[in-house]
Amino acid sequence: MPHLKCASRTLGLDRVQVMGILNVTPDSFSDGGNLYRASKLSIEQALVHAAGMVADGATLIDVGGESTRPGAEPVSVQEELDRVIPVVERISAELDVVISVDTSAPEVMREASAAGVGLINDVRSLAKEGALEAAAETGLPLCLMHMQGSSPATMQLAPSYEDIVSEVSDFLSQQIVRCEAAGIPRERLVLDPGFGFGKTLEHNLTLLRRMDELNALGLPLLVGTSRKSMIGQALGREVDSRLAGSLATVALAVERGGRIIRVHDVAATVDVVRMTEAVLYGHQQEQA
Ligand code: HH2
């Protein structure tokens, strides 16, 4: 049975798992503007939000202290640590859930691992200096994601591909080789096509349509389309009106082999995932 050893917890991947997004950035947990620090109030808010997502069926909580939206300002490592670590410690102490940390910084990987994280999610696929070594040292599973361009600040300037699916696939297989060379076994890896990261609307739609081709890499796929601009552009919807569009992509992603679905709207996503699995595999299997 496919599974990930996430520190003290095991995450079974025979069923699709839902990862709830917990952004600890000033725009998501505002406590007075840009001078965000992990105040008692914001840690409490983060915990309540995480607990709600767990009650709704999330089995992973992805804690991120750096906004990776196109054009987002970079944050210092210290600021990221200040945002993320207290929240990870609190969730780890209070909730029965796998915590993942959405970071590219080696220092954050190390400290988050010590604070109770069970998975490292790096949108830059361990490209920052020292990240590969830090991730290897933690012994944790890793999510490797495709992004065209070296950073979220510039990735949307002029995305271009001959064949997006084979280019994403080639990139991800190179990352597997790189990890294995650094002593990280492939059983510890999760792959992500990186929806919205250096891709136009047509690129994103093609990638989802043909996502099943990435199963040839033989590793679990993580999919993050929730509320993204691909949905805004396809439907002409603002970010707070993208739930239905997001759910359509979830059903398609599950049908095409997605094993972990990263979302903001956990309850609705869990229903769509379970319903899609019931259609694909039958209700008996769905209840097992
Ligand atoms: N997308 C975002 C952040 N982290 N990690 C993975 N593995 N896959 C993704 O698609 C992914 C990710 C997008 O982040 P951002 O635009 O900051 O918004 P939010 O975190 O609210 O989704």
Side-chain angles (χ1 to χ4, degrees), residues 66-97:
E66 182 206 15
S67 178
T68 49
R69 291 202 172 84
E73 290 292 315
V75 288
S76 72
V77 169
Q78 190 55 53
E79 178 131 15
E80 207 185 326
L81 287 168
D82 289 346
R83 291 174 180 181
V84 164
I85 302 301
V87 170
V88 168
E89 285 172 346
R90 195 71 204 282
I91 296 175
S92 171
E94 305 271 341
L95 301 177
D96 183 19
V97 70

Side-chain angles (χ1 to χ4, degrees), residues 21 23 67-69 102 121 123 143 145 192 197 222 224 228 262 264:
I21 298 170
N23 283 320
S67 178
T68 49
R69 291 202 172 84
D102 192 342
N121 173 27
V123 300
C143 178
M145 198 196 77
D192 184 338
F197 285 84
L222 188 152
K228 282 194 176 161
R262 181 184 183 275
H264 303 85

Side-chain angles (χ1 to χ4, degrees), residues 55-72:
D56 286 342
T59 49
L60 299 112
I61 299 291
D62 191 38
V63 180
E66 182 206 15
S67 178
T68 49
R69 291 202 172 84

Side-chain angles (χ1 to χ4, degrees), residues 143-166:
C143 178
L144 305 170
M145 198 196 77
H146 174 272
M147 167 166 45
Q148 188 178 79
S150 55
S151 82
T154 55
M155 66 189 178
Q156 286 303 105
L157 292 182
S160 122
Y161 300 84
E162 291 265 320
D163 174 2
I164 182 151
V165 182
S166 55

